[in-house]
Amino acid sequence: MIATMNDAEAIVANVKDADLQRIGNKMLNKERISFDDGVILFEKGSLAYLGALANYVREKKHGDKTYFNRNFHIEPTNVCVFSCKFCSYSRVYAHKEEGWELSIDQMMDIVKSYDGKPVTEVHIVGGVHPKMNLVFFTDLLKAIKAHRPELHIKGFTPVELDYMFRKAKVSVEEGMRITHEAGLDSLPGGGAEIFHPEIRKQICDDKVDAEGWLHIHKAAHELGMHSNATMLYGHIESFAHRIDHMDRLRTLQDETGGFNTFIPLKFRNKDNDMSHIAESTIVEDMKVYAVARLYLDNFPHIKAYWPMLGRKNAQLTLSFGVNDIDGTIDDTTKIYSMAGSEEQSPTMNTEQLVTLIKQVKRVPVERDTLYNEINVF
Ligand code: V47
Ligand code: SF4
């Protein structure tokens, strides 16, 4: 813990800048902060100030509890029709011999390799392969549910879903109903990047836009499904673009209440078309987590994705508003190792995750995807 409630009150009372004091008082009085307030926090907030406020909010909401889950990933393909400039992972369709594409049987072999193991979630996300269509994925979802009905399937970003639905010529609502009925339980947060068109045009011009992304999550929420949201930060975006991104999410959350978790994703610069851009500092990373905790007052959880940040930095986030560090993962994702993360083979067993959390004096809680508590350590 870096700050208790009294620490937060003291730090707000003593801050010299009038704007920061006004915003700090809003936080202490549980008032929502405005768009401009969010930008000011990035512009003027010191690491210590933002950390104290974010930790105050985190402890009000969750005390010391820090959630994790037991999950594994399936990445059906890294062949992709799109060409996001930050992506180190995809192989364009024209060079698909450099990529992988898994059959339903191969993916079921992965699922079966977890038989008898206490995983609660499979996370399915990958590139957009033109031959992997709605029928292919609904067959996959049905096969997983037939084999292990209680396994929660969190899968597909709006980038993949938008492409599937268009090719199948179904509306977003119809497509979400079909995938949900086939077994899709919730949506992960990917594909959001930075919503603002000024940035989206430069980093991922050809995939689903902000309105399309939000439409798909809204349709999922209307079916009673939950979902996550990410933000890819630390490249060419401004502070206002980050707040714009969070603001669009906060607005949809006011309407539907369907988001569980917000996950800031630090841009990693290895082997992609944006490698010339320096990665953000650890100070900036912590500020992003803290401002997210302060701005997204209607999001229950803020998650640090340890395979991307590294284990020690993930520990640090727990003092900057974060209350979830994702899952055991079991070396089943390549997205971050290919983009330059220090975690080249991301696996932690439950004991290691529990130790990581306990080392920084928080209480590890194993959860399922919907944050039902399974075990408090
Ligand atoms: O949308 C791609 C990101 C995302 C890079 O919902 C990169 O629980 C950094 O969304 N540097 C996919 N990031 C992963 C994702 C995710 C991960 C963990 C948990 C959840 C969840 C969702 O990965 C993409 C993109 O924003 N990404 N390349 C890169 N070079
Ligand atoms: Fe394709 Fe996703 Fe990579 Fe973009 S980030 S190129 S949509 S795999």
Side-chain angles (χ1 to χ4, degrees), residues 71 73 86-89 121 123 125 154 157 159 187-193 207 227-233 261 263 265-270 272 303 305 307-308 326 329 335-336 338-340 367:
N71 64 351
H73 286 225
F86 52 81
C87 184
S88 319
Y89 166 86
E121 172 192 284
H123 178 150
V125 71
K154 180 181 77 177
T157 66
V159 181
L187 302 186
E193 323 313 357
K207 72 184 186 186
S227 70
N228 294 337
T230 57
M231 174 176 79
L232 180 73
Y233 71 89
T261 315
I263 314 157
L265 294 172
K266 173 192 177 84
F267 164 66
R268 307 300 309 243
N269 69 4
K270 188 178 156 209
N272 55 47
K303 175 152 90 180
Y305 187 53
M308 179 260 292
D326 204 82
I329 294 167
I335 296 180
Y336 292 103
M338 289 171 84
R367 61 163 175 87

Side-chain angles (χ1 to χ4, degrees), residues 106-254:
Q106 286 171 315
M107 290 190 264
M108 285 310 296
D109 285 343
I110 299 175
V111 174
K112 287 174 188 164
S113 71
Y114 288 89
D115 284 356
K117 295 189 185 160
V119 290
T120 56
E121 172 192 284
V122 53
H123 178 150
I124 307 176
V125 71
V128 178
H129 191 301
K131 300 232 165 83
M132 292 180 170
N133 57 19
L134 186 58
V135 172
F136 177 86
F137 283 118
T138 50
D139 285 348
L140 172 68
L141 293 166
K142 287 178 193 160
I144 297 173
K145 284 291 175 186
H147 181 74
R148 194 164 173 176
E150 79 290 355
L151 187 66
H152 184 108
I153 307 178
K154 180 181 77 177
F156 312 123
T157 66
V159 181
E160 296 160 280
L161 293 168
D162 174 68
Y163 189 84
M164 267 183 239
F165 298 164
R166 279 175 199 277
K167 280 209 112 174
K169 297 196 170 36
V170 296
S171 68
V172 164
E173 285 71 20
E174 181 67 356
M176 279 317 304
R177 193 186 53 74
I178 292 169
T179 47
H180 186 43
E181 282 176 10
L184 187 64
D185 293 302
S186 65
L187 302 186
E193 323 313 357
I194 287 283
F195 286 142
H196 199 287
E198 269 168 28
I199 300 300
R200 221 167 169 83
K201 199 159 33 107
Q202 297 179 64
I203 66 171
C204 55
D205 192 24
D206 50 359
K207 72 184 186 186
V208 69
D209 62 10
E211 289 68 30
W213 192 100
L214 293 162
H215 183 182
I216 286 179
H217 278 256
K218 183 175 177 186
H221 297 171
E222 281 168 353
L223 290 170
M225 298 165 73
H226 285 268
S227 70
N228 294 337
T230 57
M231 174 176 79
L232 180 73
Y233 71 89
H235 43 90
I236 56 168
E237 85 288 359
S238 67
F239 297 148
H241 292 129
R242 291 180 192 166
I243 298 296
D244 172 77
H245 188 90
M246 292 190 231
D247 196 64
R248 293 180 199 228
L249 292 169
R250 193 170 78 170
T251 302
L252 179 57
Q253 180 74 334
D254 277 342

